[in-house]
mmCIF file with all atom_site columns, all heavy atoms in Angstrom:
data_model
loop_
_atom_site.group_PDB
_atom_site.id
_atom_site.type_symbol
_atom_site.label_atom_id
_atom_site.label_alt_id
_atom_site.label_comp_id
_atom_site.label_asym_id
_atom_site.label_entity_id
_atom_site.label_seq_id
_atom_site.pdbx_PDB_ins_code
_atom_site.Cartn_x
_atom_site.Cartn_y
_atom_site.Cartn_z
_atom_site.occupancy
_atom_site.B_iso_or_equiv
_atom_site.pdbx_formal_charge
_atom_site.auth_seq_id
_atom_site.auth_comp_id
_atom_site.auth_asym_id
_atom_site.auth_atom_id
_atom_site.pdbx_PDB_model_num
ATOM 1  N N   . ASN A 1 2 ? 7.886  -8.855  18.529 1.00 81.00 ? 132 ASN A N   1
ATOM 2  C CA  . ASN A 1 2 ? 8.630  -8.815  19.824 1.00 81.00 ? 132 ASN A CA  1
ATOM 3  C C   . ASN A 1 2 ? 9.971  -8.196  19.534 1.00 81.00 ? 132 ASN A C   1
ATOM 4  O O   . ASN A 1 2 ? 10.706 -8.605  18.682 1.00 81.00 ? 132 ASN A O   1
ATOM 5  C CB  . ASN A 1 2 ? 8.624  -10.238 20.391 1.00 81.00 ? 132 ASN A CB  1
ATOM 6  C CG  . ASN A 1 2 ? 9.485  -10.331 21.498 1.00 81.00 ? 132 ASN A CG  1
ATOM 7  O OD1 . ASN A 1 2 ? 10.774 -10.113 21.459 1.00 81.00 ? 132 ASN A OD1 1
ATOM 8  N ND2 . ASN A 1 2 ? 8.897  -10.780 22.651 1.00 81.00 ? 132 ASN A ND2 1
ATOM 9  N N   . GLU A 1 3 ? 10.308 -7.125  20.377 1.00 86.00 ? 133 GLU A N   1
ATOM 10 C CA  . GLU A 1 3 ? 11.539 -6.344  20.216 1.00 86.00 ? 133 GLU A CA  1
ATOM 11 C C   . GLU A 1 3 ? 12.794 -7.289  20.234 1.00 86.00 ? 133 GLU A C   1
ATOM 12 O O   . GLU A 1 3 ? 13.691 -7.268  19.485 1.00 86.00 ? 133 GLU A O   1
ATOM 13 C CB  . GLU A 1 3 ? 11.575 -5.310  21.277 1.00 86.00 ? 133 GLU A CB  1
ATOM 14 C CG  . GLU A 1 3 ? 12.826 -4.452  21.326 1.00 86.00 ? 133 GLU A CG  1
ATOM 15 C CD  . GLU A 1 3 ? 13.127 -3.728  20.096 1.00 86.00 ? 133 GLU A CD  1
ATOM 16 O OE1 . GLU A 1 3 ? 12.031 -3.309  19.382 1.00 86.00 ? 133 GLU A OE1 1
ATOM 17 O OE2 . GLU A 1 3 ? 14.178 -3.484  19.802 1.00 86.00 ? 133 GLU A OE2 1
ATOM 18 N N   . THR A 1 4 ? 12.771 -8.354  21.211 1.00 91.00 ? 134 THR A N   1
ATOM 19 C CA  . THR A 1 4 ? 14.049 -9.218  21.310 1.00 91.00 ? 134 THR A CA  1
ATOM 20 C C   . THR A 1 4 ? 14.176 -10.046 20.017 1.00 91.00 ? 134 THR A C   1
ATOM 21 O O   . THR A 1 4 ? 15.244 -10.218 19.532 1.00 91.00 ? 134 THR A O   1
ATOM 22 C CB  . THR A 1 4 ? 13.898 -10.047 22.575 1.00 91.00 ? 134 THR A CB  1
ATOM 23 O OG1 . THR A 1 4 ? 13.552 -9.157  23.628 1.00 91.00 ? 134 THR A OG1 1
ATOM 24 C CG2 . THR A 1 4 ? 15.209 -10.828 22.871 1.00 91.00 ? 134 THR A CG2 1
ATOM 25 N N   . ARG A 1 5 ? 12.911 -10.461 19.504 1.00 91.00 ? 135 ARG A N   1
ATOM 26 C CA  . ARG A 1 5 ? 13.155 -11.268 18.256 1.00 91.00 ? 135 ARG A CA  1
ATOM 27 C C   . ARG A 1 5 ? 13.651 -10.493 17.034 1.00 91.00 ? 135 ARG A C   1
ATOM 28 O O   . ARG A 1 5 ? 14.484 -11.026 16.386 1.00 91.00 ? 135 ARG A O   1
ATOM 29 C CB  . ARG A 1 5 ? 11.733 -11.778 17.973 1.00 91.00 ? 135 ARG A CB  1
ATOM 30 C CG  . ARG A 1 5 ? 11.477 -13.095 18.769 1.00 91.00 ? 135 ARG A CG  1
ATOM 31 C CD  . ARG A 1 5 ? 10.022 -13.642 18.676 1.00 91.00 ? 135 ARG A CD  1
ATOM 32 N NE  . ARG A 1 5 ? 9.689  -13.944 19.971 1.00 91.00 ? 135 ARG A NE  1
ATOM 33 C CZ  . ARG A 1 5 ? 8.486  -14.266 20.535 1.00 91.00 ? 135 ARG A CZ  1
ATOM 34 N NH1 . ARG A 1 5 ? 7.460  -14.068 19.713 1.00 91.00 ? 135 ARG A NH1 1
ATOM 35 N NH2 . ARG A 1 5 ? 8.388  -14.518 21.772 1.00 91.00 ? 135 ARG A NH2 1
ATOM 36 N N   . HIS A 1 6 ? 13.269 -9.279  17.079 1.00 90.00 ? 136 HIS A N   1
ATOM 37 C CA  . HIS A 1 6 ? 13.866 -8.411  16.123 1.00 90.00 ? 136 HIS A CA  1
ATOM 38 C C   . HIS A 1 6 ? 15.438 -8.297  16.186 1.00 90.00 ? 136 HIS A C   1
ATOM 39 O O   . HIS A 1 6 ? 16.130 -8.418  15.226 1.00 90.00 ? 136 HIS A O   1
ATOM 40 C CB  . HIS A 1 6 ? 13.369 -6.953  16.304 1.00 90.00 ? 136 HIS A CB  1
ATOM 41 C CG  . HIS A 1 6 ? 12.267 -6.442  15.373 1.00 90.00 ? 136 HIS A CG  1
ATOM 42 N ND1 . HIS A 1 6 ? 12.534 -6.388  14.045 1.00 90.00 ? 136 HIS A ND1 1
ATOM 43 C CD2 . HIS A 1 6 ? 11.134 -5.994  15.655 1.00 90.00 ? 136 HIS A CD2 1
ATOM 44 C CE1 . HIS A 1 6 ? 11.456 -6.006  13.446 1.00 90.00 ? 136 HIS A CE1 1
ATOM 45 N NE2 . HIS A 1 6 ? 10.554 -5.688  14.294 1.00 90.00 ? 136 HIS A NE2 1
ATOM 46 N N   . ARG A 1 7 ? 15.815 -8.289  17.469 1.00 92.00 ? 137 ARG A N   1
ATOM 47 C CA  . ARG A 1 7 ? 17.314 -8.151  17.752 1.00 92.00 ? 137 ARG A CA  1
ATOM 48 C C   . ARG A 1 7 ? 17.978 -9.415  17.452 1.00 92.00 ? 137 ARG A C   1
ATOM 49 O O   . ARG A 1 7 ? 19.088 -9.499  16.880 1.00 92.00 ? 137 ARG A O   1
ATOM 50 C CB  . ARG A 1 7 ? 17.512 -7.572  19.133 1.00 92.00 ? 137 ARG A CB  1
ATOM 51 C CG  . ARG A 1 7 ? 16.961 -6.165  19.252 1.00 92.00 ? 137 ARG A CG  1
ATOM 52 C CD  . ARG A 1 7 ? 17.051 -5.685  20.692 1.00 92.00 ? 137 ARG A CD  1
ATOM 53 N NE  . ARG A 1 7 ? 18.565 -5.724  21.159 1.00 92.00 ? 137 ARG A NE  1
ATOM 54 C CZ  . ARG A 1 7 ? 18.851 -5.874  22.402 1.00 92.00 ? 137 ARG A CZ  1
ATOM 55 N NH1 . ARG A 1 7 ? 17.968 -6.024  23.370 1.00 92.00 ? 137 ARG A NH1 1
ATOM 56 N NH2 . ARG A 1 7 ? 20.163 -5.874  22.748 1.00 92.00 ? 137 ARG A NH2 1
#
Side-chain angles (χ1 to χ4, degrees):
N132 170 300
E133 175 62 30
T134 313
R135 276 168 222 162
H136 256 302
R137 293 175 61 212

